[in-house]
Amino acid sequence: MIKFFRQIRYDLMKQNKTSKYFKYAIGEIILVMIGILLALQVNNWNQNRIEQKEEKEVIAKLHADFKENKKVLIDFLTVVKSQGNAENRLMSLIGVSKEELYKHNLDSLFYVAFSASEFAFADNTIKNIMQSGKLNLLKNDNITDLLYKWNTLSEIRKTRMGKLDKWSDEQFVPYLLDKISFKQMDMNSNYSWSGKSKLKPDYYPLFQEIELENYLDNHLWYNQQVIERCEETDELIDQIIDATKP
């Protein structure tokens, strides 16, 4: 094709047809420009097609991740609310008679109040699109806004949970060290080292202390903050699941 056009130009120049040559040259330039524009259009179309396919795949992965996150959060909330219920029950026993106090399984209540409550969300997809700069693939502004809210709420939730753990580990647990038997408390999990303490601790004096009431009250407050942030997270997860439906 190139040889063909060159031959035309050569023939025109040879025949000294300058005006026709210039007209032909302009026409050739226009044809080249049209070819370039068509090539760019095809390239853009192909790129858009690839990006649309990738966008659908990302949205599908987000949908699957957050459906799993919904299950994880429900399980976590169940544990945290059980902790709060156990602490409320302990709170209600402060100041009661020894006879009334020992009608309850205090070791079991303490065990539930301090039960492990860790969890991890499926967040590989959202981390990948945030860190790789692929967030611009998502053309749905509602989804991107929800993902930004997710990141913000995640940081707030982690802060609240960190404060709860810090209070438990650095304040509440040390306060209880010489007042209850952790060995007896761990009987509820059937650990190999757990069992009845030979020292037979008396919990009655503990439940006559205003300090216990204050420790429980503050621990319940931190616990409630975690619950509220998790309930907000649950609502946000529902919104993301709805926005990413196939």
Side-chain angles (χ1 to χ4, degrees):
M1 184 62 71
I2 294 174
K3 288 183 177 180
F4 174 75
F5 285 124
R6 284 179 176 173
Q7 184 60 45
I8 293 176
R9 288 200 303 269
Y10 176 77
D11 290 342
L12 290 172
M13 292 179 68
K14 188 176 181 181
Q15 296 172 20
N16 200 26
K17 296 180 178 180
T18 306
S19 60
K20 289 185 178 181
Y21 172 77
F22 280 120
K23 289 179 181 178
Y24 168 78
I26 292 172
E28 187 176 320
I29 292 171
I30 293 172
L31 285 175
V32 171
M33 290 178 65
I34 291 173
I36 292 173
L37 290 173
L38 286 173
L40 288 173
Q41 188 66 28
V42 170
N43 183 66
N44 289 337
W45 175 84
N46 190 52
Q47 185 64 32
N48 288 336
R49 183 181 61 81
I50 293 172
E51 289 181 355
Q52 287 174 1
K53 181 182 178 182
E54 191 172 1
E55 180 189 17
K56 288 181 180 179
E57 291 174 351
V58 167
I59 290 175
K61 288 178 181 178
L62 285 171
H63 186 75
D65 284 353
F66 279 94
K67 287 186 73 174
E68 182 62 29
N69 290 341
K70 176 79 174 179
K71 298 175 185 177
V72 171
L73 185 61
I74 289 174
D75 291 342
F76 176 73
L77 269 171
T78 300
V79 173
V80 176
K81 288 181 178 180
S82 295
Q83 290 175 322
N85 292 336
E87 288 185 288
N88 271 311
R89 190 61 184 147
L90 290 169
M91 178 84 84
S92 71
L93 296 174
I94 294 174
V96 302
S97 65
K98 182 177 263 190
E99 181 183 10
E100 176 63 26
L101 182 66
Y102 280 108
K103 288 179 182 179
H104 304 273
N105 188 336
L106 301 176
D107 291 315
S108 177
L109 288 173
F110 275 116
Y111 177 80
V112 174
F114 290 101
S115 57
S117 54
E118 295 179 347
F119 74 105
F121 283 134
D123 59 359
N124 285 338
T125 302
I126 190 170
K127 280 183 177 179
N128 180 51
I129 63 176
M130 289 292 188
Q131 294 173 359
S132 63
K134 291 183 178 180
L135 192 61
N136 59 351
L137 279 175
L138 304 178
K139 308 306 181 187
N140 189 321
D141 291 338
N142 183 41
I143 295 178
T144 56
D145 288 344
L146 290 172
L147 294 182
Y148 278 122
K149 289 180 181 178
W150 172 263
N151 281 346
T152 300
L153 186 54
S154 293
E155 292 304 313
I156 296 173
R157 188 182 60 250
K158 289 175 184 177
T159 298
R160 295 298 187 188
M161 292 175 63
K163 288 182 177 180
L164 174 61
D165 291 339
K166 184 179 177 68
W167 172 259
S168 296
D169 295 340
E170 298 182 6
Q171 301 293 330
F172 204 174
V173 171
Y175 164 74
L176 294 172
L177 280 176
D178 60 351
K179 303 178 188 298
I180 69 172
S181 170
F182 283 61
K183 181 180 180 182
Q184 287 184 182
M185 185 178 74
D186 286 339
M187 285 175 63
N188 294 277
S189 60
N190 296 317
Y191 291 135
S192 59
W193 62 83
S194 63
K196 280 288 184 181
S197 173
K198 296 177 183 178
L199 299 176
K200 299 178 181 179
D202 182 8
Y203 290 179
Y204 180 70
L206 171 63
F207 280 82
Q208 305 308 307
E209 294 183 6
I210 189 66
E211 288 91 347
L212 177 61
E213 184 176 78
N214 289 334
Y215 273 109
L216 284 170
D217 181 86
N218 203 49
H219 200 270
L220 278 165
W221 186 86
Y222 280 125
N223 186 276
Q224 182 61 30
Q225 293 299 307
V226 170
I227 290 174
E228 290 176 4
R229 298 296 81 73
C230 286
E231 288 175 341
E232 290 176 15
T233 301
D234 188 39
E235 293 177 5
L236 183 56
I237 286 175
D238 286 340
Q239 293 175 28
I240 294 174
I241 290 174
D242 184 63
T244 57
K245 282 181 180 178

